Structures are given as C-alpha cells and as structure tokens.
Amino acid sequence: MADAAKFSLLIQILLITLCSLSLLCTAFTTQDYTDALEKSILFFEGQRSGVLPPNQRLKWRGNSGLSDGSSYHVNLVGGYYDAGDNVKFGLPMAFTTTLLAWSVIEFGTSMHNQIENTKAAIRWSTDYLLKAATATPGTLYVQVGDPNLDHKCWERPEDMDTPRNVYKVTTQNPGSDVAAETAAALAAASIVFKDSDPSYSSKLLQTAMKVFDFADRYRGSYSDSLSSAVCPFYCSYSGYQDELLWGASWIHRASQNGSYLAYIQSNGHTMGADDDDYSFSWDDKRAGTKILLSKGFLDKRVEEFQVFKAHSDNYICSLIPGTSSFQAQYTPGGLFYKASESNLQYVTSTSFLLLTYAKYLSSNGGIVTCGGSTVTAESLISQAKKQVDYILGDNPAKMSYMVGFGNRYPQHVHHRGSSVPSIHAHPGRISCNDGFQYLYSSSPNPNVLIGAIIGGPDNRDNFADDRNNYQQSEPATYINAPFVGAVAFFSGKN
C-alpha cells in the first residue's frame, strides 16, 4: 500500500512537471474557449448605437443616437461606437466588420450555437454601412460625432448631447482608404450571408463593387479630406494603397469576378504587394491581404499569387522565435508586443492571421519557408494559442484581459457606458461634466462590459487597472473582432 502511495505521488509529480513544461496539459479547456467565444461576441452588444432589439442581452444599455444624420437629411442611425467613447468612426467600424466576417468565413463551423450571434453582430454593422454607402450618390458617410467635443464629456451614450456632426467623403473630397475598407467589409459579409440570406448577400456585394469603384476612381486619403475630425484618432498613416488592394482582394474572393483578379495583378506592385510589412491593423492591411491572397496559390496554384505566399511566409517567419528572420518583440511573459497603446489589437489580429494561414497550409500540405528552415502549420497554431491563452489569463499577472472571463479581470474599464450608472439604475440625466466623477472614481465599473478585451499590459507584462490609463484599459471593436475567429478555432478543437 505504501509503495502504491509512493507511485501515485511520483505520477503526480511527473504530471505537474510535464504540465509546467506545457507538454501534457493546457491552461484552458474546450469549454473555456467556448465561453470566451460567447463573451467575445456579446461585447458587441455593448457597443451598439441606435434602437436596441428586443433580444438585446446586455440589458444595462439603452437606445442612443436616434437622430444621427437627421440634420443632414440622411438616416445614419445604428452601427457601433468604436471604443470607450460615443463616436461612430467609419474606418475602424468597417475593419471590425471585415474581420468579424473573415472569422465566420474561416472558423464559422467551430462557432456552433454562437454563429447566429456572430452574424447578428456583423449585420448590425453592415445595415449601417449600407445606409452610409447608398444614401447619397457619389458620397460615403464615414463618421458621426465630433471626436474633439465628444472627448470633452464623460457621458453614457443614452444621454449624449454633444454635436452629432456628420462627415463624408465625396468625389471632390475623396477617401479611398475608408471607402475601400467599407467595400472589403461589405464583400466579406456577402460571403457570410450567401446561403442564409441570398438577396441581402447580393445587395452587399453589389454595393461593395460600387463603393470600391468610387474609392478607386477618386483617389485620396480621408485624413487629407477630413483632417482634425479623424486625426489623430484614426488617421490613415499607411495611406490608401493598401486598402485598395485589400478591397479588390475581398471582392475577388466574394465574386470570383476576373476583373478584380486582373486589378490585383496589374496594381499589386504599386499597392504594397512587394513590401514586407509586419503589422496588421485597422490602418495597415498589407499583411492581411497577402495571407488572404496566398489562399489562391495554395488552393488553386494560381501562379500570379505565388508572390503573396512568399511574402506571407516572410511575415510569419518574423513572428516565430528561432527562425533566421525573427524580429518580433515579446514580453518576458510571452506576449507579442507592438505598441504601448492598445497593444492587444495587434495580438488578436496576429493570432488570427497565424491560424488562418495554418488552415490554408494544412489543407494543402504546405509549410512556411524561413530561409534555410521550415515552420509547420502546427507551430503557427501553437504560437497563436500562447497569445490567446495569455489574453485569457495564462500570464504572469494571472489576469484575464477579457472582461467577465475568469476569476480576475479588469474592473476599471475606460468606457463611458460601462463606468457611468445605467439608465435603469439612474434614470435621471447625467450631464457632460457630471460624468467625470465616474471616470475618476476608484470604484469598479457598475456595468460589466462582458467580453471586452482591453488595451492590455505593457512590455514588461505590467498592467494598471486604471480607468484613466486608456492606453491599457480601453476596449475596442477591432481588438475583439479577430479574437472571435481565433477563439472559435480553439473552441472547435477536441
């Protein structure tokens, strides 16, 4: 009996040792990833603008922005607030939509009972983008709300009384970046709804083509046209060439129309196809475009797309420690680190690209070539898993950076609606300046913004749970959107 007890103890020690070496156990179960998936999608309900539907699940939110566009005689009700404020910025909203749609396209079969909630999140945005794109000929409405004035108030969206200025790009004042991203969003979403709602899908694709033509024909950056209304908030630092190639790539994927393939082939060299770029965000689409187009070479051996496979390999190699072209920065705790502000947006977008490329490689027996070495699809999945697990709590701080997930998560989120008492708890209006007491309060947010992934820790894995530190504590739709696809992948693995 004593020998049996000793043997049992030895086995336990061995398992703990193997576990610490990450050889035999994982920090999270399939059920954990499924829970995180559900919450990552629920977050979008907290960002809704407009008239909330009867099946709204985040009950502390109410209707808001009900007259958006009316002073300009257009209906721009709906869509999403981008982050912790009450502005509807078109560029990040469109990118969010593209990435949510791409998540469904690649990993929708792993979403199971969350697929309808994900499609509802996409449609909340595409309904708005369709209005913005079709209300006035030769015009795309790209923003509602003056960010400079909005940021001077700390108000829940239901009380909003800051100017709801409407901003647009036109043939005279172009915005190829925001227009081409809107086209990408509509085209990607058309794939999502192709089977379940063919007429809606067709409308999305036809509108995408028109908006893309507008973006391509009247070239210019929306930052130049709209200046302080969009800069420094969502300035198009990378220019508009990357969005034109990205938009064409999505319309090609959705339509299989040969003219878009010809466009990619003839314009790719001037639009970033030859560049090696190492980030993927609401601003810079180059890495994502190469991964997206590499599928054409991996699946169908379209020779014109081989260059995109080669550049995708270069991008992936830069992320994998031990390869000759490794250049990414990681924190001591293993988190991919790109910027001091809202770093987790780069972690979620990178994780999504790793998993998507792994999927494309796996279906064709492909590998990544990094100089003299090769990297397998399994290595890409492993790298993405480390990032997803870090966000969910497998990190030095033992802190989940998704609100409402796990036992320990951020309590002081930089978000107006979440931090100010809800209209149910405090029906009386809370004015612009009166709200600041809640920004500066040390109390936890009264309304839990379930599923929100915030900016995250610094380059030493340190995190200040401080509402004033927006760089670390503010959520955003484009942080969550690619995470939906990434966590869906792991929820579908047994």
Side-chain angles (χ1 to χ4, degrees), residues 360-472:
Y360 295 169
L361 291 168
S362 296
S363 60
N364 296 281
I367 53 170
V368 179
T369 304
C370 301
S373 60
T374 56
V375 177
T376 63
E378 288 72 25
S379 297
L380 273 56
I381 294 167
S382 174
Q383 192 66 10
K385 187 176 185 298
K386 288 175 189 171
Q387 302 307 305
V388 169
D389 287 357
Y390 186 110
I391 290 171
L392 295 179
D394 187 10
N395 56 58
K398 299 292 179 252
M399 159 83 81
S400 162
Y401 294 106
M402 175 185 280
V403 176
F405 181 87
N407 297 322
R408 189 164 175 258
Y409 53 82
Q411 302 291 317
H412 305 88
V413 179
H414 183 96
H415 188 277
R416 286 158 175 77
S418 174
S419 64
V420 178
S422 74
I423 53 169
H424 309 297
H426 191 296
R429 197 171 163 279
I430 299 172
S431 69
C432 167
N433 290 323
D434 287 347
F436 280 105
Q437 63 181 300
Y438 302 106
L439 169 62
Y440 301 127
S441 166
S442 60
S443 301
N445 286 19
N447 312 307
V448 182
L449 187 61
I450 296 171
I453 301 172
I454 54 162
D458 66 15
N459 62 347
R460 306 297 301 171
D461 302 297
N462 297 315
F463 173 74
D465 190 2
D466 176 3
R467 204 176 289 113
N468 273 300
N469 184 347
Y470 71 89
Q471 295 93 335
Q472 291 194 325

Side-chain angles (χ1 to χ4, degrees), residues 6-235:
K6 280 181 186 174
F7 181 72
S8 174
L9 183 62
L10 279 170
I11 290 293
Q12 287 178 39
I13 292 169
L14 180 63
L15 286 172
I16 291 166
T17 305
L18 288 171
C19 194
S20 68
L21 294 171
S22 301
L23 295 174
L24 204 66
C25 70
T26 178
F28 300 105
T29 64
T30 303
Q31 185 53 50
D32 291 329
Y33 294 123
T34 302
D35 181 37
L37 171 64
E38 180 176 2
K39 287 172 175 169
S40 68
I41 299 159
L42 181 59
F43 157 74
F44 289 94
E45 295 193 13
Q47 300 304 111
R48 284 173 169 172
S49 183
V51 181
L52 301 184
N55 63 353
Q56 169 81 10
R57 293 174 294 165
L58 279 187
K59 299 294 186 185
W60 51 266
R61 277 298 319 281
N63 297 340
S64 63
L66 301 184
S67 59
D68 281 0
S70 61
S71 57
Y72 297 76
H73 309 293
V74 288
N75 175 6
L76 296 174
V77 177
Y80 288 117
Y81 304 118
D82 69 301
D85 57 19
N86 299 323
V87 183
K88 298 192 299 203
F89 290 100
L91 183 57
M93 195 193 309
F95 178 69
T96 292
T97 310
T98 310
L99 269 287
L100 273 176
W102 200 3
S103 291
V104 170
I105 291 163
E106 303 299 350
F107 305 114
T109 54
S110 298
M111 291 179 180
H112 305 302
N113 65 344
Q114 291 307 312
I115 188 68
E116 292 307 320
N117 288 327
T118 312
K119 286 163 79 172
I122 294 166
R123 192 163 188 151
W124 193 268
S125 190
T126 50
D127 282 352
Y128 171 84
L129 294 175
L130 281 171
K131 289 191 283 191
T134 59
T136 308
T139 301
L140 174 67
Y141 294 95
V142 299
Q143 186 169 312
V144 181
D146 180 330
N148 295 289
L149 294 175
D150 179 271
H151 290 177
K152 289 178 179 174
C153 288
W154 195 261
E155 281 181 312
R156 56 195 181 187
E158 295 83 3
D159 285 336
M160 192 167 37
D161 56 0
T162 48
R164 301 301 284 170
N165 296 2
V166 170
Y167 302 90
K168 62 188 179 183
V169 293
T170 64
T171 56
Q172 306 298 312
N173 292 291
S176 301
D177 27 35
V178 66
E181 183 60 65
T182 301
L186 296 171
S190 77
I191 301 171
V192 171
F193 294 103
K194 192 169 187 178
D195 293 333
S196 58
D197 194 339
S199 62
Y200 186 65
S201 171
S202 177
K203 185 179 183 182
L204 291 170
L205 184 56
Q206 295 308 312
T207 307
M209 290 175 168
K210 289 175 186 169
V211 175
F212 181 80
D213 183 62
F214 167 75
D216 188 44
R217 190 170 302 196
Y218 305 100
R219 292 193 182 186
S221 172
Y222 94 136
S223 302
D224 295 332
S225 296
L226 297 174
S227 60
S228 64
V230 298
C231 295
F233 315 100
Y234 291 104
C235 236

Side-chain angles (χ1 to χ4, degrees), residues 163-389:
R164 301 301 284 170
N165 296 2
V166 170
Y167 302 90
K168 62 188 179 183
V169 293
T170 64
T171 56
Q172 306 298 312
N173 292 291
S176 301
D177 27 35
V178 66
E181 183 60 65
T182 301
L186 296 171
S190 77
I191 301 171
V192 171
F193 294 103
K194 192 169 187 178
D195 293 333
S196 58
D197 194 339
S199 62
Y200 186 65
S201 171
S202 177
K203 185 179 183 182
L204 291 170
L205 184 56
Q206 295 308 312
T207 307
M209 290 175 168
K210 289 175 186 169
V211 175
F212 181 80
D213 183 62
F214 167 75
D216 188 44
R217 190 170 302 196
Y218 305 100
R219 292 193 182 186
S221 172
Y222 94 136
S223 302
D224 295 332
S225 296
L226 297 174
S227 60
S228 64
V230 298
C231 295
F233 315 100
Y234 291 104
C235 236
S236 183
Y237 298 104
S238 70
Y240 60 80
Q241 303 281 6
D242 57 312
E243 274 87 11
L244 286 172
L245 192 60
W246 171 246
S249 302
W250 272 111
I251 298 176
H252 173 253
R253 174 111 176 227
S255 67
Q256 294 301 305
N257 182 319
S259 65
Y260 294 95
L261 176 60
Y263 181 96
I264 293 163
Q265 290 167 344
S266 59
N267 292 284
H269 297 298
T270 58
M271 292 181 174
D274 298 330
D275 305 342
D276 276 322
D277 187 67
Y278 301 106
S279 74
F280 178 50
S281 68
W282 56 263
D283 178 37
D284 193 341
K285 314 298 154 55
R286 287 174 291 184
T289 303
K290 293 181 179 81
I291 299 280
L292 179 67
L293 291 175
S294 72
K295 188 177 193 295
F297 176 72
L298 288 163
D299 281 1
K300 299 171 185 172
R301 295 293 161 192
V302 178
E303 287 305 318
E304 294 86 350
F305 286 170
Q306 184 170 9
V307 63
F308 298 108
K309 161 69 166 76
H311 283 291
S312 294
D313 280 5
N314 293 347
Y315 166 69
I316 294 296
C317 295
S318 77
L319 300 169
I320 307 297
T323 65
S324 56
S325 32
F326 171 64
Q327 59 168 269
Q329 181 183 348
Y330 290 89
T331 67
L335 180 70
F336 176 63
Y337 190 80
K338 194 81 184 173
S340 58
E341 184 175 323
S342 192
N343 181 61
L344 289 185
Q345 67 175 303
Y346 303 104
V347 179
T348 60
S349 65
T350 300
S351 299
F352 178 83
L353 291 186
L354 283 165
L355 293 169
T356 299
Y357 201 46
K359 179 187 172 186
Y360 295 169
L361 291 168
S362 296
S363 60
N364 296 281
I367 53 170
V368 179
T369 304
C370 301
S373 60
T374 56
V375 177
T376 63
E378 288 72 25
S379 297
L380 273 56
I381 294 167
S382 174
Q383 192 66 10
K385 187 176 185 298
K386 288 175 189 171
Q387 302 307 305
V388 169
D389 287 357

